Amino acid sequence: MKKASICTIGDEILIGQIVDTNSSHISRALGSLGIRVVRMISIGDVREEIISTLDNELKTNDIVIATGGLGPTKDDITKDALAELSGAGGYIKNEEQEAIVHRILKSRGLDILDINLRQAMVPDSCEVIPNRMGTAPIMVFRFPEERYGHPATLFSLPGVPYEALGALPDILNDIEGHYKLDGITHRTIMTYGLAESALSKLIEPWETSLPADMHLAYLPNQITGVRLRLSVYGGDKQEALKRIDERIEALKPLLGDNIYAYSDSSLQAEIKELMCSRGLTLSVAESCTGGEIAHLLTTVPGASGYFLGSVTSYAIPVKEKVLAVPDSAISENGVVSSQVAAAMAEGVRRLTGSDYAVSTTGLAGPGGDDRNPEGTVWIGVSGPRGTKTFTYRYRNDRLRNIERFAATSLDTLRRFVLSDIND
Amino acid sequence: MKKASICTIGDEILIGQIVDTNSSHISRALGSLGIRVVRMISIGDVREEIISTLDNELKTNDIVIATGGLGPTKDDITKDALAELSGAGGYIKNEEQEAIVHRILKSRGLDILDINLRQAMVPDSCEVIPNRMGTAPIMVFRFPEERYGHPATLFSLPGVPYEALGALPDILNDIEGHYKLDGITHRTIMTYGLAESALSKLIEPWETSLPADMHLAYLPNQITGVRLRLSVYGGDKQEALKRIDERIEALKPLLGDNIYAYSDSSLQAEIKELMCSRGLTLSVAESCTGGEIAHLLTTVPGASGYFLGSVTSYAIPVKEKVLAVPDSAISENGVVSSQVAAAMAEGVRRLTGSDYAVSTTGLAGPGGDDRNPEGTVWIGVSGPRGTKTFTYRYRNDRLRNIERFAATSLDTLRRFVLSDIND
């Protein structure tokens, strides 16, 4: 299996001014070719550091992808470092890139300065892939087996994300043209409702029985739950898929409806499918989650196909006036109670005329009250067959509690609608 | 100046499934102590790789911060690697962390399994900082000068972002307690309403006139706007603060009310202060932002002191029925229009009886309509002195557009309330 390393060059990432998003895109792209990324490194605009780091990575990897440090200004010195690393005899002009520089600056109504034209000059030791989205060319340095004990390729990409990602298809084509690749085959299983530790305990016998060439990864997330990724490297893709699917079949009875999808997905995306495919509509009444449930639902394009709307009744009068929560329910049980959660769900369902509704009332913190400790939430779900409530307790900070409350509400709704359908 | 390296451990970053956001937070935190981060590295859950990488980084750095690989499951092997690297004699139980493990699992209604308790076991070669937000302890390994030619400290943090960031204050305290630091003095100025490039052009003369030892950093963010950080390394802290404040005074007239705070803050935190300090109340009517505005407002503790509630009227009937938007406003002008934005803000203000209200109607994408291109938003603000509307256009993907719509709505509300107050 081919190995790769990704190096981002530039002080702005090192000092934490910007987050490096290029590396994860590049890694996923390489992964789709079955190339394993073994290291990601961020270094500053320091010539010696750039040379020694890239030289080191080329020793142990087939492919090294460097991004950044190609701007026109003085502090960008990656190109000189690459010239030295690759033993270039000098610089030559790349006509194609120069034409692009002229076109881009003209389109921006800018004068063409020497420092701009210098961007089209490249070390004579590299091949050039034109960068149509920016002024800095994409450089490809191919090192013969003698240099590092194996054929190695170094790609230099601009750091600007849309230029770097724009270059990826050309990079992948170049790699496929020069390397014999064994693919990777994997499936993702989305689960919600079990903590990572409980999940791994539950499936331990199944996990230990996996063949040696099959790898399981746990990828936990506050909002999507624990994502399981089952991978096989190399071999025949169809055969590998068949073997993975057999294992997933054996996994299903162990996890039951804790599994909500068999591909990369989210609770809100699955709810949209569930509702839209059956022409069902949804409304939401939020208190402690303060709009996060509606926000998550509406991050999915096409949410308007089933999501009618929501009421965030943060103040008690809004609960009573807009959602018609009886003040007796509040005075007798408190705002954070099963009765209020139920009344909120029924209230917003009445108000909007939706088929289903979900509601939350709880204490995200800081601080709880005499009845309920911090992190307590009551969730109400209401539909054609009636209303149910559930309570959970989490022990995170305010923001994480809000996220968990919202995610668990989506999961509760999902299970509630499914149980209606499967009846 | 002390040097540091940040290493993230875990396959999920390497395969590009998640983006590493911890490193930039940690880097900024270390920067605030005047510690320079010279490398960030991501590696997988491979024992030898973890040991050799950390060993290498400790050779050239005073401080190495490792995050991740501390989960309870089989694929997390960082702790064993650290035990070997530090020459531990064995594992010992950390009572304090074990108590936390019990408390957290109990509060989540989970059984306490051996693999959970194993998380409280640490190599006898480390000191422990209890992790109150999760089950994995924070481990501190101190290497004497003989080992690497300089005293070196290795911190091992959980990879879960809110646990890693939650541990940062303790880490910074530990570093300040064990190292003599040059110290750094800085102030943060929060701005909204100007893009980074426009901002830098506007303040260029001011910026070029800064003394050589004063550094300006631009820290742009979708939701908080552009954060300006003015820093001075070393020297007397009081003196440095005085000099920084003089420069900030000169900056004020250039930026006017694009500045919304003079310390790390957020639009929602400033709005809370603005409203609560004057006993004002707020309600929100959302369409395209789908709950994000209410969510942002309620991420601030004490939001219930002024925020009454919100209506997310995603479907037209909900706009008409709940917010009493006249259907003529919709039929004559379309849903994405000044008239509908105004009617939504006035409607929710009437419904909740709040002093102020803000509303959004727009197209986050994908796709626009015949009247409005993708990324168009109309924002309505309504208060005791009347109603105003504003329109903006952004060119991001759906999620970014929703964030920008919401942030700009908060900024529009802030300016609207301030203009009332300052009249």
Side-chain angles (χ1 to χ4, degrees), chain A residues 216-237:
Chain A
L216 177 72
Y218 290 79
L219 308 164
N221 175 290
Q222 277 270 114
I223 289 177
T224 58
V226 180
R227 187 191 265 110
L228 296 172
R229 196 162 174 276
L230 205 49
S231 322
V232 171
Y233 291 103
D236 172 67
K237 204 161 187 64

Side-chain angles (χ1 to χ4, degrees), chain B residues 22 26 67 131 133 157-169 171:
Chain B
N22 287 342
I26 294 169
T67 68
N131 169 13
M133 298 180 168
L157 279 59
V160 183
Y162 74 91
E163 293 183 34
L165 303 193
L168 270 182
I171 303 294

Side-chain angles (χ1 to χ4, degrees), chain B residues 111-381:
Chain B
D111 302 334
I112 290 145
L113 311 168
D114 290 351
I115 55 170
N116 300 121
L117 293 178
R118 232 176 287 139
Q119 294 206 272
M121 300 295 293
V122 298
D124 57 15
S125 52
C126 77
E127 298 167 25
V128 168
I129 297 175
N131 169 13
R132 303 187 189 298
M133 298 180 168
T135 50
I138 295 139
M139 295 174 282
V140 186
F141 298 86
R142 303 191 199 281
F143 298 93
E145 189 157 359
E146 307 82 81
R147 172 79 178 259
Y148 292 111
H150 59 273
T153 312
L154 168 62
F155 295 91
S156 168
L157 279 59
V160 183
Y162 74 91
E163 293 183 34
L165 303 193
L168 270 182
D170 290 336
I171 303 294
L172 298 188
N173 284 337
D174 186 277
I175 291 171
E176 284 181 300
H178 287 79
Y179 288 90
K180 195 188 159 314
L181 302 169
D182 318 341
I184 181 172
T185 310
H186 59 74
R187 283 230 200 268
T188 302
I189 301 122
M190 307 295 300
T191 76
Y192 196 94
L194 291 169
E196 186 180 3
S197 53
L199 186 61
S200 74
K201 186 153 183 70
L202 185 61
I203 66 176
E204 194 173 13
W206 174 86
E207 181 173 358
T208 39
S209 77
L210 290 175
D213 70 335
M214 208 177 277
H215 174 67
L216 177 72
Y218 292 79
L219 307 165
N221 175 289
Q222 278 270 114
I223 288 176
T224 58
V226 180
R227 186 190 267 106
L228 297 172
R229 208 177 71 160
L230 208 49
S231 325
V232 171
Y233 286 99
D236 173 67
K237 208 164 183 64
Q238 287 316 312
E239 173 62 18
L241 267 183
K242 195 167 144 298
R243 292 173 54 221
I244 289 173
D245 288 342
E246 284 163 10
R247 297 294 169 161
I248 291 176
E249 281 309 311
L251 184 66
K252 284 180 180 175
L254 298 176
L255 294 180
D257 63 4
N258 292 304
I259 298 177
Y260 67 85
Y262 293 96
S263 62
D264 251 306
S265 184
S266 65
L267 288 163
Q268 53 269 33
E270 294 307 310
I271 287 170
K272 185 207 156 200
E273 285 315 304
L274 191 61
M275 306 296 275
C276 287
S277 63
R278 290 165 179 78
L280 298 169
T281 56
L282 175 70
S283 62
V284 178
E286 306 192 50
S287 185
C288 55
T289 46
E292 175 72 351
I293 296 175
H295 168 58
L296 289 175
L297 292 172
T298 54
T299 54
V300 181
S304 53
Y306 77 100
F307 176 61
L308 301 185
S310 76
V311 173
T312 298
S313 54
Y314 222 57
I316 288 176
V318 177
K319 288 186 176 71
E320 297 178 342
K321 188 169 166 220
V322 183
L323 296 176
V325 174
D327 57 11
S328 62
I330 296 173
S331 56
E332 289 163 19
N333 314 287
V335 175
V336 180
S337 62
S338 169
Q339 293 82 348
V340 170
M344 287 172 67
E346 289 163 358
V348 79
R349 184 166 174 255
R350 246 192 332 269
L351 184 68
T352 62
S354 64
D355 300 305
Y356 285 90
V358 60
S359 68
T360 58
T361 176
L363 295 159
D369 65 21
D370 46 355
R371 297 174 202 239
N372 300 291
E374 175 176 334
T376 303
V377 65
W378 275 96
I379 296 170
V381 275

